[in-house]
C-alpha cells in the first residue's frame, strides 16, 4: 500500500533562519507531488507541484523553493524565513494528473518567531 | 482571487440532525469536485467527490449535490455525529489544478 511521510511534525524557527521540510512517498512510482500551505484562517494554498524528478512548478511567488532530487522525495526549502511563512505545510501525492483522492501527509506546523 | 469559496467559517449542529456545508466556485472549467475532512494537526483525508456530469453522489451518511448552473455544491451529513466534528474543505479540479476553499469548521454537539 502507498504511504506518505512528512517531517518534522512541528518546527519553531527564528526569522532569517533556513528551512528544510521533507516528504517521501512509498509504494508507488512517478507520483505527482504537491506542497500546500494552510495559513491561519485561510484555505489550502498550492505552493509547488512536481510531475517528475527535477520538474518543479511554482504557483505562488515567495521566498520558498522546492526540489525533487528523487522520484518519491519532495523537499520544501527556504534560505531565510519570514514571519509570514508561519503556517501548516502539507505534502500530497496523486497518481498522474488524477485529482481523485489526493493523499496528504500529516503536515508540519511551522512557527516563525 | 478566490475561485472556490466556503462562505461559512463555522457551523454548529446538534447530534442526529442534518449538517449542510456549502461551497461556491467561479471557474466554469472545473469539472470535478471533492470534499476533504481534516482533524487538527493532521492532513486532510478524502471524503466524497462528484463529477460535473452528475448532480448527486451519495456515500452512506454523506451526500454531495452539484448545481452547475449556480456553480454551487453542498455536502449533506445525515445524521450528524460528534465524530464528524472537523474542518471540511471543498475542492475543485480542472485545468490541471486542484483548488481548495478556506474550509468550514463543523461542530456536532451531543
Amino acid at each position: 500500500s502507498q504511504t506518505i511521510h512528512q517531517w518534522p511534525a512541528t518546527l519553531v524557527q527564528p526569522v532569517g533562519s533556513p528551512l528544510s521540510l521533507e516528504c517521501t512517498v512509498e509504494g508507488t512510482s512517478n507520483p505527482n507531488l504537491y506542497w500546500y500551505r494552510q495559513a491561519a484562517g485561510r484555505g489550502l494554498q498550492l505552493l509547488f507541484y512536481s510531475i517528475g524528478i527535477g520538474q518543479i512548478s511554482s504557483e505562488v511567488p515567495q521566498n520558498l523553493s522546492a526540489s525533487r532530487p528523487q522520484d518519491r522525495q519532495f523537499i520544501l526549502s527556504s534560505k531565510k524565513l519570514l514571519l509570514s511563512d508561519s503556517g501548516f505545510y502539507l505534502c500530497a501525492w496523486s497518481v498522474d494528473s488524477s485529482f481523485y483522492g489526493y493523499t496528504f501527509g500529516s503536515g508540519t506546523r511551522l512557527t516563525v518567531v | 482571487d478566490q475561485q472556490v469559496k466556503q462562505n461559512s467559517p463555522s457551523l454548529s449542529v446538534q447530534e442526529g440532525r442534518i449538517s449542510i456545508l456549502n461551497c461556491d466556485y467561479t471557474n466554469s472549467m472545473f469539472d470535478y469536485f471533492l470534499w476533504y475532512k481534516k482533524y487538527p494537526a493532521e492532513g486532510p483525508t478524502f471524503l466524497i467527490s462528484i463529477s460535473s456530469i452528475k448532480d448527486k453522489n451519495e456515500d452512506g451518511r454523506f451526500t454531495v449535490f452539484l448545481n452547475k448552473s449556480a456553480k454551487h455544491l453542498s455536502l449533506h451529513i445525515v445524521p450528524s455525529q460528534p465524530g464528524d466534528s472537523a474542518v471540511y474543505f471543498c475542492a475543485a479540479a480542472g485545468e490541471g489544478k486542484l483548488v481548495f476553499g478556506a474550509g468550514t469548521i463543523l461542530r456536532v454537539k451531543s
Side-chain angles (χ1 to χ4, degrees):
Chain A
S1 63
Q2 302 92 352
T3 56
I4 180 168
H5 302 280
Q6 190 179 341
W7 66 92
T10 59
L11 192 60
V12 180
Q13 291 284 99
V15 169
S17 64
L19 173 74
S20 180
L21 301 180
E22 189 164 344
C23 172
T24 59
V25 180
E26 296 177 358
T28 187
S29 59
N30 197 31
N32 280 9
L33 296 171
Y34 311 86
W35 278 110
Y36 280 84
R37 175 173 62 196
Q38 181 187 14
R42 304 184 68 177
L44 298 174
Q45 181 185 37
L46 178 63
L47 301 176
F48 301 94
Y49 68 94
S50 171
I51 61 172
I53 296 174
Q55 300 179 66
I56 309 295
S57 295
S58 174
E59 289 295 303
V60 181
Q62 61 222 315
N63 70 320
L64 298 170
S65 62
S67 62
R68 185 169 177 174
Q70 300 179 42
D71 180 45
R72 291 168 289 175
Q73 184 184 30
F74 205 23
I75 298 173
L76 182 69
S77 304
S78 174
K79 292 182 179 178
K80 290 185 178 182
L81 284 169
L82 306 173
L83 286 174
S84 57
D85 292 324
S86 293
F88 192 59
Y89 288 81
L90 289 158
C91 180
W93 75 274
S94 68
V95 176
D96 298 325
S97 59
S98 169
F99 293 109
Y100 184 79
Y102 269 22
T103 301
F104 284 86
S106 55
T108 296
R109 170 70 61 192
L110 172 67
T111 304
V112 183
V113 295
Chain B
D1 177 31
Q2 280 188 289
Q3 297 186 62
V4 178
K5 297 181 183 180
Q6 292 177 257
N7 292 320
S8 297
S10 64
L11 175 67
S12 186
V13 173
Q14 196 68 34
E15 180 180 7
R17 307 295 291 268
I18 184 172
S19 295
I20 301 177
L21 297 99
N22 294 303
C23 178
D24 297 291
Y25 61 96
T26 59
N27 191 338
S28 57
M29 295 302 293
F30 289 140
D31 57 7
Y32 201 80
F33 304 90
L34 308 92
W35 284 94
Y36 282 81
K37 178 179 179 180
K38 182 183 178 301
Y39 292 114
E42 294 183 9
T45 55
F46 170 74
L47 187 59
I48 192 170
S49 64
I50 188 167
S51 165
S52 61
I53 63 174
K54 294 186 176 182
D55 56 16
K56 177 182 175 182
N57 187 27
E58 189 173 354
D59 183 4
R61 296 186 297 113
F62 303 91
T63 303
V64 56
F65 295 92
L66 175 63
N67 183 332
K68 283 186 63 178
S69 60
K71 293 190 176 68
H72 176 84
L73 66 155
S74 60
L75 174 68
H76 293 210
I77 306 174
V78 183
S80 301
Q81 299 173 354
D84 295 329
S85 298
V87 179
Y88 289 79
F89 289 99
C90 166
E95 298 183 305
K97 298 179 183 178
L98 186 63
V99 181
F100 286 85
T104 296
I105 300 171
L106 173 65
R107 296 186 185 90
V108 180
K109 298 175 290 185
S110 56

